[in-house]
Amino acid sequence: MLASLVSVGISAGGLYFIADRSLSRPWAAAVDVCTRAHSGRTAEQTTVRDRCMAGQFRRRGVVMLAGTGIALGGAAALVLVQPLADRRRLRRRLTVPGAQERFTDLCDRNQLAARHRPRLVVAAPPVRQAYTTGGVLGRPTVVLPAAVAVAHAEPARFDPVVEHELAHVLARDVAWAAAVRGLVWLPVPAVLAAGLLEVAFFGLNATYLTALGRAAAIAVLTALLAAGLLRRREREADRYAAEAGHAVHLAALLRAGAGRPTRRRRLLARHPDPVARAAALGRPAEPPGSWTHGLAVGAVAMLAMSSADALVRDLFLTVQATVGPPVAVCVGSVLLTVGLLPTLVRRAASGAGGWWRPVLGAGTGYAVTAFIAIALPVPGSSGVSARTDLPAAMLTAALAGSLAAAVAGLCVLLARLVVALRPGSVGWRSAAYLVAAAAGVAVLWPLPAVASVLADGEVVRGWLVFALPRTGWPLLALLLPVLVGLLLRGAGDGHRRPERRWDRAVVAAVLLAVLIGAGSAVWWTQLSPPGSPAEANRLAQQRWLLCALTGWAVLLVLAVRRRTGVGRALTAGWVAGVAAALLQYLHALVTGRADGLGTAEAHLLAPLVWLGYLVAFTLPFLVSRPPVPAPVPSSSGNTRSPVPAVALLTALLAAVVLGPGIPGTYAPLPVADPTRAAAPSAGAVVPPAPDVTAGSARPGPGRPEPGRLLTRAEARRAAGAVRAVLPRGWRVRPDRGDSGGSRIEPSACRPLAEDSYLDRLGGVERVRERARYATVPGPAATASTELVIEIRSHAVPVPASVLAEADLARRACPGFTARGGDGSAVRFAVDTRPPPVLGEHSWRVDYRLSAGSGQTRITGRSAFVIVQAGHNLVTVYASAISEPLNERLLGAAVEAAVAGLTG
């Protein structure tokens, strides 16, 4: 419940941040500008880009953190208010003296005294059902309807109902149950309130609907989990009343009040069907740890993991690769462990089987919620760090579900170990929690990194080969199943200890597997030595994979035999994998292919870490097997040896790995960290060029005069000369011409707004060429800069009076508004800055732009520069939206265009 509320708070904070444009526009502009300025994939460029965006992302993280605090504060207030609402409903009370005395006797019988003794309230109609309510503070209250209270002299009608309610008091879960009833519906109202700004200014849109859908998914999952837990709570209270000697009378009362609930009511009902409750009294108690419980735990853990990842990445953007994934993985592992292990310990203590139910439920809930988290990301993350393509989402969900099932299988092993060795020891249970959480972190560790580049198989393999084994510590946690298996040998795993001679068969199978696996790797290396670094890298990866598969083959064969036991299968598999890795490393060391610590890490850690994850993926199938009775002495001699099966499977895997192998290229160098988001690519990008400044407009010796009449090719070449000074992140845009159609207010500003002072040159104009350049759209598509270069050549020299007329138009207009045909309006405030000293004459006008108001206001700056040189006019229009106008770039573009007049 707490994890769900935190996830809702983060989503609500992200939605509010996006809705408040005073917060989100600077953030979006920073994303565009920083991504464009530092678009490289190198570690240095990534660090500089993250540092550029860190301030705005930190603001978003603080808002999301505030949303979390508000959600938790609202939940706390709701927990305190819920008992007050229940008391208000009980203002009409009845006094039944005999009922109070009988209630006191039952409390004494159940040893409820002092602050644990509940109060009795007899409620007047229309209350017809007995219930128990209470808050965090104060004593609980048992509410009985009048029809039950007046029957206090009939133990068959009064005592079963009171014993059932006292069971809730004894379980100390009254305040929790009262809080759950209201908290399950908090997510949707929280997101609705956070999105009021978004709907008010922009209506229903994808951002709001995505956040609402995410909150609705959390609400439904939380409601299903809460309803299931509350129904189990009622069944446990029924069983307590039945053990007190009221089974027959309670069953009769339940059947008398039976109804026909609909399917929806059955899913969300807090009380089970009365007929089912009455029938359950005659059956053994259902063991804890059902498929539904695993499903809910997996779903909540994945939601909290994705929300924590979004929050931490925003707060610590500059170190997101080293802080974000570990925090997210730790959150997911802790929630899976805390949610599953206590229930699994109780299931193991009850002696129940069916371990596949919680394992499958946890994997399914984790996978489905991972898909939802990608399809409905935290508001604001879409387009920046989230992957929304369907194939990647499905692959990520499958990987997440498999890893969560592995964590659940590990919890099953630990639960069985605790019950088998020290069932009543608090220390063992505490140690089991810590060990399960640490191993769960190791199992989930690859998920964030691999999921970020799952569509690129080469990068995934590079990370698994070079980055994952060098982490080191996951190997220690992945060895945990071996230690648990050793402790479980012959204890608590449902198998009787095999006879001694089967130990010799297992040893023979391990030795033969090592001989085939490591021997095949060594033989293939000697038979076909690599001739290049790429071939050597490919062969090394084949050897490492074969060593891991050797251990896995032993594990798989012994597990399928079903009589070896979980402990022996795990131990034998790891012994085979370690021995094969050591043999192939010794061969590489002797032949000179391994020297130094780095190669030792690669040759030893890579196969062992891969074997660890193969064991983790296999663990759910191992623990889900039903126990098999031990073989009888008469048939034990006919049991087949595992040696042939191990030899055949190992040989088959060796042939596949050393023959076709894994397709793809094998770079000899490690790949970059895939957790770093790559900059988006765009087509038709202006090729990068060094920042150069054009020379003077005066031609050098042998160069043509810039004031001459230009041909169309020369004018086009002059307009294209600006391309050389544009930095990375710019592209050529198609020329759309003058849009026109805008109404200028006041009319006195029309000459300035429409460049009317140039109209009188239309009769002598011979050539006009235009080039348009713009920045590549960033991830947020908010900040942009555009340059429009125009070269005009005339039959006669351009008179200086044209620029004088432009200056008069500028002085006559302090500002104007351009209104489009669709009712939109852009306000221009006229500003002045000195023109460049180029050509024969030059002129410049600047504008401060704004459109919309309040939350929808967009601002920018623009400049229009004219340079006259003989017969020619060079005009450069620059506009920057949601980012500063780059004066250096504007000056370089004007100089390049003027210099282009000389050819």
Side-chain angles (χ1 to χ4, degrees), residues 241-252:
E243 292 174 355
H246 306 291
V248 177
H249 303 309
L250 180 61

Side-chain angles (χ1 to χ4, degrees), residues 538-561:
R538 175 188 179 91
L539 181 60
Q541 293 184 34
Q542 288 175 320
R543 289 162 57 118
W544 303 339
L545 179 60
L546 182 55
C547 293
L549 290 174
T550 298
W552 182 73
V554 174
L555 167 67
L556 193 63
V557 170
L558 296 181
V560 169
R561 292 181 69 241

Side-chain angles (χ1 to χ4, degrees), residues 791 796 807 842 853:
I791 308 296
V796 298
D807 198 57
S842 60
S853 61

Side-chain angles (χ1 to χ4, degrees), residues 499-685:
E499 297 181 17
R500 185 69 181 173
R501 57 197 180 98
W502 292 120
D503 289 343
R504 292 192 294 270
V506 171
V507 171
V510 170
L511 292 177
L512 186 58
V514 173
L515 179 63
I516 295 175
S520 299
V522 172
W523 172 77
W524 188 260
T525 305
Q526 294 296 121
L527 180 66
S528 179
S532 66
E535 292 179 3
N537 189 26
R538 175 188 179 91
L539 181 60
Q541 293 184 34
Q542 288 175 320
R543 289 162 57 118
W544 303 339
L545 179 60
L546 182 55
C547 293
L549 290 174
T550 298
W552 182 73
V554 174
L555 167 67
L556 193 63
V557 170
L558 296 181
V560 169
R561 292 181 69 241
R562 296 165 60 101
R563 296 186 186 275
T564 304
V566 175
R568 186 159 299 170
L570 288 170
T571 307
W574 269 99
V575 169
V578 171
L582 284 173
L583 286 178
Q584 66 87 25
Y585 171 65
L586 290 176
H587 174 264
L589 193 63
V590 171
T591 56
R593 293 184 174 89
D595 54 345
L597 182 61
T599 56
E601 290 179 353
H603 281 278
L604 292 177
L605 292 183
L608 296 183
V609 169
W610 296 349
L611 175 59
Y613 283 101
L614 288 174
V615 171
F617 286 126
T618 313
L619 202 56
F621 302 99
L622 297 181
V623 301
S624 300
R625 301 175 309 153
V628 178
V632 297
S634 60
S635 61
S636 60
N638 299 326
T639 304
R640 289 182 296 179
S641 171
V643 175
V646 169
L648 180 61
L649 181 58
T650 307
L652 179 62
L653 293 174
V656 172
V657 172
L658 297 178
I662 303 176
T665 59
Y666 288 77
L669 297 178
V671 297
D673 189 353
T675 58
R676 297 283 193 172
S681 59
V685 177

Side-chain angles (χ1 to χ4, degrees), residues 100-423:
Q100 182 63 54
E101 283 78 8
R102 182 58 182 165
F103 181 80
T104 302
D105 293 340
L106 292 175
C107 288
D108 293 336
R109 184 184 303 174
N110 287 277
Q111 299 181 355
L112 290 171
R115 63 186 183 89
H116 298 300
R117 181 188 291 269
R119 290 186 293 264
L120 175 65
V121 172
V122 179
V127 177
R128 297 182 180 180
Q129 297 287 337
Y131 63 91
T132 303
T133 184
V136 179
L137 304 175
R139 294 188 297 164
T141 300
V142 174
V143 180
L144 296 179
V148 175
V150 297
H152 59 86
E154 303 179 42
R157 295 181 58 191
F158 185 84
D159 290 5
V161 177
V162 174
E163 290 281 1
H164 174 95
E165 300 304 328
L166 293 181
H168 294 318
V169 178
L170 289 169
R172 309 286 175 84
D173 59 359
V174 176
W176 172 85
V180 164
R181 289 182 298 173
L183 293 183
V184 293
W185 303 116
L186 186 63
V188 174
V191 173
L192 285 174
L196 289 178
L197 280 177
E198 183 75 17
V199 176
F201 289 103
F202 306 99
L204 293 176
N205 51 53
T207 300
Y208 179 74
L209 294 178
T210 296
L212 192 60
R214 183 183 179 92
I218 295 175
V220 171
L221 291 172
T222 307
L224 291 175
L225 173 61
L229 294 177
L230 290 174
R231 288 195 296 269
R232 173 173 290 277
R233 173 176 176 265
E234 294 299 323
R235 287 192 292 267
E236 294 295 334
D238 288 343
R239 195 163 299 278
Y240 179 83
E243 292 174 355
H246 306 291
V248 177
H249 303 309
L250 180 61
L253 292 174
L254 290 172
R255 291 190 182 95
R260 292 185 177 182
T262 62
R263 185 176 184 83
R264 179 182 64 85
R265 292 291 301 275
R266 286 198 299 269
L267 288 175
L268 298 178
R270 297 193 297 268
H271 292 76
D273 178 40
V275 175
R277 289 171 62 182
L281 293 176
R283 297 194 302 264
E286 181 183 352
S290 62
W291 180 85
T292 306
H293 179 264
L295 180 75
V297 170
V300 171
M302 184 64 226
L303 276 175
M305 181 176 175
S306 63
S307 299
D309 179 67
L311 178 62
V312 173
R313 283 177 181 271
D314 281 2
L315 290 175
F316 307 100
L317 184 65
T318 54
V319 289
Q320 58 168 325
T322 56
V323 175
V327 170
V329 167
C330 289
V331 169
S333 175
V334 168
L335 289 178
L336 282 174
T337 301
V338 173
L340 290 175
L341 194 55
T343 305
L344 296 178
V345 169
R346 293 198 300 270
R347 189 180 186 93
S350 67
W355 295 106
W356 63 270
R357 292 182 176 88
V359 171
L360 180 62
T364 303
Y366 210 79
V368 171
T369 314
F371 183 82
I372 294 175
I374 297 173
L376 304 175
V378 173
S381 62
S382 179
V384 178
S385 61
R387 302 182 63 90
T388 56
D389 49 324
L390 185 60
M394 296 179 66
L395 289 174
T396 302
L399 175 63
S402 301
L403 294 175
V407 176
L410 182 62
C411 290
V412 169
L413 273 182
L414 287 170
R416 289 162 55 175
L417 176 65
V418 168
V419 172
L421 298 182
R422 302 284 181 85

Side-chain angles (χ1 to χ4, degrees), residues 809-887:
R810 182 186 62 187
R811 296 176 184 275
C813 180
F816 60 90
T817 301
R819 299 188 181 276
D822 57 353
S824 60
V826 180
R827 295 174 293 278
F828 293 79
V830 179
D831 200 359
T832 59
R833 296 198 66 171
V837 183
L838 293 171
E840 299 174 6
H841 302 90
S842 60
W843 176 83
R844 171 173 173 166
V845 62
D846 286 69
Y847 302 101
R848 295 190 304 273
L849 316 177
S850 64
S853 61
Q855 295 292 328
T856 62
R857 188 169 184 263
I858 301 175
T859 60
R861 291 190 66 91
S862 65
F864 184 56
V865 179
I866 302 177
V867 177
Q868 179 263 328
H871 292 252
N872 305 314
L873 279 182
V874 176
T875 64
V876 178
Y877 177 76
S879 65
I881 305 300
S882 298
E883 65 175 315
L885 182 63
N886 192 331
E887 289 289 341

